[in-house]
C-alpha cells in the first residue's frame, strides 16, 4: 500500500473502525472450505436486492400513485404513468422490466436459498435466530411483491387486493372493520392504492434492509454450515488459531464473481429478450385497467404466489365460513419458521441423514412445486383434487421430521 | 449494599428521588407515545360511510329477454337481474343434493326470496354479483353441458353457483349469493332497495 493511502486509512481508522470492520467481516471472516453452489444464493440476493432498489427508485421518479381516471377513459393516472414511461421515455421499458424480472429472480433465489437450508440443516442450533430473521425477510418480500403488483392499478392489482382484503374480512367479528381499516375505505379504492404505494416504496423496503443487516449480523455471529455437516469453528488450527476446515471469505471471491457474472448475464438476457416470459414475469392482464365491475375470466397468480393460491383454491368452505382457506395459507407461510423445533434430529447435513429425511425433503419440495404448477392451471376438478392432496403433503412433510429424532 | 455513586459535584441524588423521577418520566413518556400514536391511527381510518349509497333504483324489465342477464351497478356493487327460461327453472329443481344450502337457511336474502327459486316471481331473479368467498364477480355461464345445468363460476377460486345463486357443496364459497330487498311496482317495473310496500 502506498504511503498516501496508508495515511488516509490511518486517518479514517482513528475516527471510524473501517479496517477493523474489513478484518472482522471480510478478510478475517472464516467460511467452510467446502462451500458449494447452494451457498451462492444469499450473496446473489444481496446483488439482486440492490438492483431492485435501483430500478425501483427510477420507477418512483415517474410513477403517479393516483387511481383517478383520465378524463373520458377507463385508464387511471397510475396505469397511464407507467405506460407513458414504457412507451415514450427512452430506456423506460428497460427500467420497468428490470424491476419485474428482478422480482421473479429474487423469489427464485429465495426459494433456492430456503431449500439449501433444508439440505444442510441450516436452521438448527445455533442458527435458529438466523433462520427466523430469514423467515421475516421472506414475509416482507411477499408483502413487498404484493404491494408492488397493486401499483399499476390494472386488473391483477384490483382483484388481488380485493381477495387479500377479503382474507381479512373472513375473520369472525372483527374482519369487516379490520379490512375497512386496511383498505382505508369500504371497497378497494384509490385510498388503498395510495397507502400501498407508501408501504411499497418506504415502509417495507426500510424494514427489508434492516432485516438483511440483522440477518448478516446473526450469520457472522455463528458462521456458515458446511455441506459435510461439520461446524468449522469447533476445530481450530492450533498454530493459527483459525478454523482448520475454514478459509477466509475472500478466498471464495472468484466463485462469487463468476456467480454474479452468470446471474447478471441471465438477468440481462431476460430483460432484453423475454421480459414477460410468457406471462410468468409480467402478466398482461395487469396492463388492462382496473375494473371493479368485471373480474377477468383468465385471472392467474404470479408464479411465486401460485403454491399458496393453489392452497386457497383447494380448501372448501365448511361450517358456514371460508376462513379455513385463509388459515391454511397463513399456516403454510408461518410454519417453516418453526423448523428449528420441528426437526429434532441433531444431524445437520442431508449427507449424513437417513433415507427418511432425504425422501421427506424431496416430497416436501415436490408438493410445493406441484402446488405452484397446480395454482397456474385452470380449476379443473383433477387440479383441485391434486391441490388438496399436495396441500396435505406439504403440511405432513413439514411436520413429520418431528418424529425423526435419530442422531 | 453498594456505596452511593459519587459525581464530581458531590453525592448523586438519593435513591428515593431517583425512583420517583424515573417513574414520573416513564409515565410522561408513555403518555406522550400514546397521545402521539393517535393520529397515526385516525389518519388511516376510512372516511364517513357514504350515506347516498343504497338509495333504491327502478328497473324496466320489459327489454329483458328470457335467458339474458342484466348487470347493473348499485350500492357500489354489481347487481344482476336474470330472466330465467323454463328450462333453467326446471334445472333448479332436483339438484338439491349437490348444493351446500339448498333452502337458503344461512344466506342473506329477504324472507320472500327464501324459496327454491330465490325470487318473488320464479322467472326474474335479482342478486348481488359478489362471490361470498373473497368478493370477486362470478361469471354467468348458462351453457349447459353433460354435468353442468348452467350457473355461475367464479374466476378467482372456482366457486360454483346454480342459476338461483345457490353454492355447490365442496366450493370454497360458504354461502349462497346475497339477494337485496326488492319489489314490483308493476308487472315489468322492479324497484331494488328501499321499503318493500307495493305488491
Ligand atoms: C432478502 C433476502 C435474503 C438475503 C439478502 C439473504 C442473505 C444471506 C447471505 C448473504 C447468506 C450467506 C451466504 C449463503 O449462505 O447463501 C445467508 C445465509 C443464510 N440465510 Fe439468508 N438471505 C435472505 C433470505 C433468507 C430466507 C428467506 C431464509 C430462510 C428462512 C434465510 C436463511 C438463511 C440461513 C439459515 C443462512 C445460513 C445458511 C448456512 O450457513 O447453512 N435467508 N443469507
Ligand atoms: S372469490 Fe369467488 S371463489 Fe374466491
Amino acid at each position: 500500500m502506498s504511503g498516501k493511502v496508508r495515511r488516509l486509512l490511518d486517518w479514517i481508522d482513528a475516527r471510524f473502525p473501517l479496517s477493523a470492520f474489513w478484518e472482522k467481516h471480510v478478510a478475517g471472516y472464516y467460511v467452510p472450505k467446502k462451500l458449494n453452489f447452494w451457498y451462492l444464493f444469499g450473496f446473489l440476493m444481496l446483488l439482486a436486492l440492490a438492483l431492485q432498489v435501483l430500478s425501483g427508485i427510477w420507477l418512483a421518479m415517474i410513477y403517479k400513485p393516483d387511481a383517478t381516471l383520465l378524463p373520458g377513459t377507463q385508464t387511471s393516472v397510475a396505469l397511464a404513468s407507467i405506460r407513458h414511461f414504457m412507451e415514450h421515455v427512452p430506456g423506460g421499458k428497460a427500467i420497468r422490466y428490470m424491476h419485474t424480472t428482478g422480482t421473479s429472480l429474487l423469489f427464485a433465489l429465495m426459494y433456492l436459498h430456503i431449500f439449501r437450508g433444508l439440505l444442510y440443516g441450516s436452521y438448527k442450533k445455533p442458527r435458529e435466530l438466523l433462520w427466523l430473521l430469514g423467515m421475516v425477510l421472506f414475509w416482507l418480500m411477499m408483502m413487498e411483491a404484493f404491494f408492488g403488483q397493486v401499483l399499476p392499478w390494472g386488473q391483477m392489482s384490483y382483484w388481488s387486493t380485493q381477495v387479500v382484503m377479503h382474507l381479512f374480512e373472513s375473520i369472525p367479528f372483527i374482519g369487516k372493520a379490520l379490512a375497512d381499516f386496511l383498505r382505508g375505505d369500504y371497497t378497494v379504492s384509490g385510498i388503498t392504492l395510495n397507502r400501498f404505494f407508501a408501504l411499497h416504496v418506504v415502509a417495507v423496503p426500510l424494514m427489508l434492509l434492516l432485516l438483511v443487516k440483522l440477518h448478516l449480523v446473526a450469520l457472522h455471529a455463528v458462521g456458515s454450515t458446511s455441506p459435510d455437516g461439520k461446524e468449522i469453528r469447533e476445530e481450530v488450527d492450533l498454530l493459527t488459531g483459525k478454523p482448520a476446515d475454514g478459509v477466509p471469505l475472500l478466498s471464495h471471491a472468484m466463485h462469487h464473481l463468476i456467480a454474479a457474472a452468470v446471474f447478471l448475464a441471465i438477468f440481462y438476457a431476460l430483460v432484453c429478450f423475454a421480459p414477460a416470459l410468457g406471462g410468468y414475469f409480467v402478466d398482461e392482464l395487469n396492463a388492462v385497467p382496473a375494473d371493479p365491475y368485471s373480474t377477468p375470466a383468465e385471472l392467474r397468480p404470479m408464479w411465486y404466489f401460485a403454491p399458496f393460491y393453489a392452497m386457497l383454491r383447494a380448501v372448501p368452505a365448511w361450517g358456514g365460513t371460508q376462513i379455513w382457506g385463509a388459515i391454511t395459507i397463513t399456516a403454510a407461510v408461518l410454519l417453516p419458521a418453526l423448523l428449528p423445533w420441528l426437526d429434532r434430529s441433531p444431524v445437520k447435513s442431508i449427507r449424513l441423514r437417513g433415507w427418511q429425511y432425504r425422501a421427506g425433503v424431496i416430497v416436501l419440495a415436490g408438493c410445493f412445486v406441484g402446488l405452484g404448477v397446480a395454482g397456474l392451471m385452470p380449476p379443473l376438478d383433477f387440479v383441485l383434487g391434486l391441490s388438496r392432496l399436495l396441500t396435505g403433503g406439504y403440511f405432513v412433510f413439514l411436520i413429520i421430521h418431528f418424529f425423526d429424532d435419530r442422531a | 449494599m453498594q456505596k452511593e455513586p459519587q459525581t464530581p459535584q458531590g453525592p448523586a441524588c438519593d435513591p428515593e428521588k431517583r425512583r420517583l423521577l424515573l417513574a414520573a418520566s416513564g409515565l410522561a413518556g408513555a403518555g406522550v407515545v400514546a397521545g402521539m400514536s393517535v393520529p397515526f391511527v385516525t389518519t388511516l381510518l376510512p372516511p364517513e360511510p357514504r350515506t347516498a349509497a343504497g338509495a333504491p333504483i327502478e328497473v324496466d324489465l320489459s327489454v329483458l329477454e328470457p335467458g339474458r342477464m342484466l348487470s347493473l351497478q348499485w350500492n357500489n356493487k354489481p347487481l344482476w337481474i336474470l330472466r330465467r327460461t323454463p328450462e333453467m327453472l326446471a334445472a333448479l329443481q332436483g339438484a338439491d343434493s349437490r348444493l351446500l344450502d339448498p333452502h337458503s337457511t344461512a344466506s342473506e336474502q329477504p324472507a320472500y326470496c327464501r324459496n327454491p327459486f330465490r325470487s318473488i316471481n320464479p322467472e326474474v331473479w335479482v342478486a348481488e354479483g359478489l362471490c361470498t368467498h373473497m368478493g370477486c364477480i362470478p361469471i354467468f355461464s348458462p351453457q349447459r353441458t353433460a354435468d353442468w345445468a348452467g350457473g355461475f363460476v367464479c374466476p378467482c377460486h372456482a366457486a360454483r353457483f346454480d342459476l338461483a345463486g345457490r353454492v355447490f357443496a365442496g366450493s370454497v364459497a360458504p354461502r349462497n349469493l346475497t339477494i337485496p330487498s326488492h319489489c314490483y311496482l308493476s308487472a315489468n317495473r322492479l324497484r331494488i332497495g328501499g321499503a318493500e310496500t307495493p305488491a
Side-chain angles (χ1 to χ4, degrees):
Chain A
M1 219 181 287
S2 82
K4 264 192 181 146
V5 177
R6 181 75 260 167
R7 277 209 307 282
L8 178 63
L9 206 57
D10 286 343
W11 188 88
I12 295 175
D13 281 335
R15 291 155 181 85
F16 180 91
L18 185 62
S19 300
F21 183 88
W22 179 260
E23 173 60 25
K24 183 157 194 285
H25 293 292
V26 186
Y29 177 71
Y30 273 65
V31 293
K33 262 186 201 142
K34 305 214 178 78
L35 290 192
N36 59 21
F37 167 79
W38 290 103
Y39 288 77
L40 289 168
F41 299 117
F43 163 70
L44 292 178
M45 282 167 86
L46 289 175
L47 180 63
L49 197 62
L51 284 174
Q52 205 63 1
V53 170
L54 206 64
S55 55
I57 293 173
W58 258 249
L59 277 173
M61 289 185 198
I62 60 87
Y63 171 77
K64 301 190 176 79
D66 184 351
T68 326
L69 298 185
L70 291 175
T73 70
Q74 288 304 307
T75 306
S76 62
V77 174
L79 186 56
S81 71
I82 293 180
R83 269 194 198 155
H84 173 79
F85 187 59
M86 293 185 68
E87 286 164 19
H88 300 297
V89 178
K93 231 184 206 150
I95 296 283
R96 165 108 201 279
Y97 285 144
M98 279 185 211
H99 207 64
T100 52
T101 306
T103 308
S104 273
L105 291 186
L106 253 174
F107 271 96
L109 293 172
M110 179 141 57
Y111 284 133
L112 290 168
H113 189 69
I114 295 176
F115 185 65
R116 183 280 315 269
L118 299 183
L119 290 183
Y120 299 119
S122 303
Y123 45 81
K124 290 186 188 176
K125 189 187 166 194
R127 297 186 181 77
E128 299 94 327
L129 286 180
L130 175 56
W131 177 260
L132 281 182
L133 290 166
M135 283 307 297
V136 177
L137 276 167
F138 175 50
W139 303 329
L140 285 172
M141 280 289 299
M142 299 223 287
M143 288 166 63
E144 184 68 354
F146 167 68
F147 293 138
Q149 173 189 284
V150 174
L151 301 187
W153 211 239
Q155 282 286 61
M156 286 263 287
S157 311
Y158 185 87
W159 292 104
S160 59
T161 310
Q162 173 81 336
V163 167
V164 169
M165 292 298 119
H166 273 76
L167 286 171
F168 290 98
E169 257 182 55
S170 66
I171 300 171
F173 308 114
I174 59 158
K176 176 73 175 114
L178 180 62
D180 288 345
F181 179 71
L182 295 175
R183 276 188 296 250
D185 208 338
Y186 305 94
T187 54
V188 174
S189 77
I191 299 176
T192 323
L193 173 62
N194 271 78
R195 63 177 55 177
F196 285 8
F197 172 66
L199 295 172
H200 182 78
V201 304
V202 187
V204 181
L206 278 181
M207 289 195 280
L208 263 173
L209 294 182
L210 175 70
L211 261 292
V212 168
K213 158 90 184 154
L214 297 181
H215 191 63
L216 294 181
V217 169
L219 173 72
H220 282 220
V222 294
S224 288
T225 57
S226 184
D228 60 14
K230 283 193 192 145
E231 282 293 340
I232 60 161
R233 293 185 182 186
E234 283 171 4
E235 269 174 67
V236 173
D237 187 311
L238 291 177
L239 287 178
T240 60
K242 298 291 188 186
D245 275 323
V247 288
L249 181 58
L250 278 178
S251 53
H252 286 298
M254 191 50 92
H255 297 135
H256 284 113
L257 268 176
I258 294 170
V262 171
F263 173 76
L264 288 176
I266 294 173
F267 190 112
Y268 191 65
L270 284 167
V271 169
C272 290
F273 302 114
L277 205 75
Y280 289 106
F281 282 13
V282 183
D283 195 317
E284 53 276 24
L285 256 185
N286 222 16
V288 179
D291 180 354
Y293 291 101
S294 146
T295 313
E298 323 70 34
L299 215 58
R300 213 169 59 150
M302 291 309 291
W303 69 267
Y304 40 81
F305 289 143
F308 305 105
Y309 172 84
M311 292 182 188
L312 183 61
R313 202 167 61 172
V315 180
W318 184 77
T321 170
Q322 70 277 51
I323 188 124
W324 314 114
I327 291 177
T328 304
I329 57 173
T330 310
V333 169
L334 297 185
L335 207 58
L338 295 182
L339 263 176
W341 299 278
L342 284 174
D343 177 0
R344 292 192 301 166
S345 163
V347 182
K348 291 196 181 97
S349 174
I350 193 163
R351 293 183 193 167
L352 307 176
R353 296 195 68 171
W355 64 268
Q356 297 91 335
Y357 186 76
R358 291 169 189 233
V361 166
I362 291 169
V363 176
L364 179 62
C367 286
F368 194 72
V369 172
L371 280 164
V373 173
L376 294 172
M377 289 172 71
L380 307 172
D381 281 335
F382 92 90
V383 175
L384 297 184
L386 186 70
S387 305
R388 285 187 194 124
L389 194 73
L390 295 174
T391 304
Y394 174 82
F395 283 104
V396 168
F397 282 90
L398 208 50
I399 295 169
I400 200 164
H401 300 293
F402 185 69
F403 303 98
D404 173 17
D405 55 359
R406 268 167 301 241
Chain B
M1 272 295 277
Q2 264 188 338
K3 249 185 88 190
E4 278 298 309
Q6 298 278 321
T7 66
Q9 283 77 34
C13 64
D14 70 276
E16 193 55 33
K17 212 162 159 187
R18 174 183 271 225
R19 243 196 319 274
L20 205 73
L21 217 60
L22 213 66
S25 50
L27 219 65
V32 169
V33 169
M36 289 218 311
S37 50
V38 169
F40 286 94
V41 174
T42 53
T43 45
L44 293 185
L45 290 172
E48 285 302 305
R50 284 175 284 250
T51 41
I57 53 162
E58 292 181 14
V59 185
D60 179 12
L61 297 180
S62 57
V63 291
L64 187 59
E65 289 165 26
R68 300 296 298 263
M69 191 172 87
L70 211 62
S71 293
L72 307 170
Q73 301 173 8
W74 178 67
N75 208 358
N76 292 314
K77 290 174 192 160
L79 177 77
W80 292 340
I81 306 174
L82 166 66
R83 193 189 285 283
R84 290 173 291 201
T85 61
E87 300 85 72
M88 287 176 168
L89 289 175
L92 287 180
Q93 285 151 328
D96 283 14
S97 62
R98 296 169 52 212
L99 298 171
L100 185 68
D101 180 17
H103 306 295
S104 300
T105 53
S107 48
E108 283 177 50
Q109 67 270 312
Y112 46 79
C113 288
R114 190 181 282 178
N115 55 53
F117 304 110
R118 304 190 78 220
S119 60
I120 298 174
N121 136 14
E123 215 174 82
V124 177
W125 178 68
V126 180
E128 278 178 10
L130 285 184
C131 182
T132 54
H133 181 232
M134 298 282 155
C136 293
I137 304 175
I139 290 172
F140 180 42
S141 320
Q143 304 78 10
R144 290 160 151 278
T145 62
D147 51 2
W148 181 246
F152 301 87
V153 180
C154 186
C156 284
H157 318 95
R160 280 172 245 196
F161 304 87
D162 74 1
L163 287 166
R166 294 180 297 181
V167 66
F168 283 97
S171 285
V172 288
R175 275 183 310 281
N176 299 339
L177 298 181
T178 297
I179 296 184
S181 65
H182 58 283
C183 62
Y184 287 87
L185 301 173
S186 67
N188 261 328
R189 216 162 165 76
L190 195 62
R191 187 174 72 187
I192 293 135
E196 299 152 17
T197 30

